Amino acid sequence: MILLTAESRAEAPSGLTVAPSFRALYDAYFAFVWRTLWRLGVWPASVADAAQDVFIVVHRRLADLHSGDVARSWLYGIVVRVARDYRRAQQRRPLNERNSEAEDVADPKATAADRQFEQREAVALLDQLLDTLDEDKREVLVLVELEQMSVPEIAQLLAVNPNTIYTRLRAARADFERALARSRARERQP
Amino acid sequence: MSELSDQAQSLFEAGRAGHEPRDEDRERVLRGVLVRAGVVTSTLAAHSASASSAAGGGASAASATSLAGLGAKLVLGLSLAGSAGAGLYHYVQPRASQHALPSPASSAHFASRSAPPVFAEPGAEPGVAPRLSEPELPSAAASAARGGGTAPSGKGDVRANGLSEAVAPSVPETAPAGEASAPRASSVAAFPELGSLAASKSAVTAPQPSAPGAVLSAEARALADAQRALREGRNSEALSRIEQQESQFASGELGQERRAAKIVALCALGRVTEARALALRFLADSPRSPLSARIRATCASP
């Protein structure tokens, strides 16, 4: 299965599937890449850099995307690796760099003029709870719960046995629930 | 299919709509990619970006987004780039201090290492890339279809649905539903094989009375009841609830929170000595707990 975009479809002679062009991938998946880097724990100040790195790789490896691949999975594999590198680099950096560009990157007025305050609060809490998870658990949880990917698909893109993914997912959900319960209990503390 | 609590599920629901990029982010990153990939020089990118803004402003009636304008100037014939780059991932390590738009010097360095030479044409005029311009037409058509077909305002829908958006609208009638809507559709619909796997999974993790999640939510509920009693001034009830929970959830997850609530309850009942003893122990055990500050603010402050 290949996800055909407007461009690749227009370029393709009838019945022939071709890999989408860079620009088609960029337009179709930029938001996905941006969101996912953020959710995987790349600091707000670094999301733009990380997105750029992802698309540089996409640009170079476009030839590796064969028809028959699901473009999103292929892209996600790149996003996950870039996010890992960033998280590791972040561990060596002072925490106060986390949001150095955040006002620019995540100005609530610009990203969510019509969004409710509660929604923003929920997203902030979600990030905070995801931050408590181990890297591998966080990846699986984000993929399943936010990107709504299937376990077999995740297993394929992470090159890990599906049973391992199920195990991680269960552990991730349990850890997340614990972190949530703790956070709620603290909030309610009179 | 999710085995998460309602609370957790609603957080993830909220999260699915979060962190959408702005149009500026989209353009800024694209410029950076083009520069770093050697497709354009940085000055060229800046020039084209401003040209695209102007074009976008002038043609706003046609709902041409500035992104489409940018595309017109900087279209990439990337089937070529793909064949030139066997894509080595290690070229792209995180640059801790580098900004989204690299300096001309660093991008030139980058380009000299890795960019396909055919694209590095610093002397070329911004708009002159005839052989590369073909892909733009369908893209502009897609934008137009987007603007006219779904939401006239254009701006919101690009953000809200960036993923399926660009994929679906151009082929609404012809594409098989599964293809066009796969990215945002439920996983089960997009991946039929998941149905059986999900079923086998839920057999493995069928809720048992003693499942850790169930115990945790019972513990959290019980503690919430006690905390509510405390807020509403039913202090002895709160205390007796907490004491009962101490044995019921002796190895629970919320011990710290329970101890803090107990200190507050004892204070409220005027049992200051007991409260203070508990507070001392709490602060010794968990000096860095987020609850420590609140405990120091009670009657039990040592």
Side-chain angles (χ1 to χ4, degrees), chain B residues 185-281:
Chain B
S186 85
S187 316
V188 176
F191 304 95
E193 72 276 17
L194 184 65
S196 55
L197 281 160
S200 66
K201 179 181 64 165
S202 48
V204 174
T205 58
Q208 302 145 17
S210 62
V215 174
L216 175 60
S217 57
E219 183 184 2
R221 262 199 312 277
L223 181 56
D225 288 345
Q227 288 168 326
R228 191 176 322 114
L230 208 48
R231 273 197 305 273
E232 291 167 3
R234 291 175 279 124
N235 299 324
S236 358
E237 181 196 330
L239 184 62
S240 67
R241 278 177 184 274
I242 291 166
E243 282 171 342
Q244 191 220 328
Q245 290 165 29
E246 281 173 344
S247 50
Q248 190 183 351
F249 301 106
S251 55
E253 297 283 344
L254 303 174
Q256 244 184 42
E257 288 74 14
R258 202 158 33 237
R259 288 167 73 189
K262 186 173 183 177
I263 293 167
V264 175
L266 286 169
C267 276
L269 290 168
R271 291 159 65 173
V272 177
T273 318
E274 288 163 86
R276 197 159 287 169
L278 276 184
L280 276 173
R281 238 189 306 154

Side-chain angles (χ1 to χ4, degrees), chain A residues 171-183:
Chain A
R173 283 174 172 158
D175 287 357
F176 186 86
E177 294 285 10
R178 269 193 289 277
L180 175 60
R182 226 174 265 131
S183 149

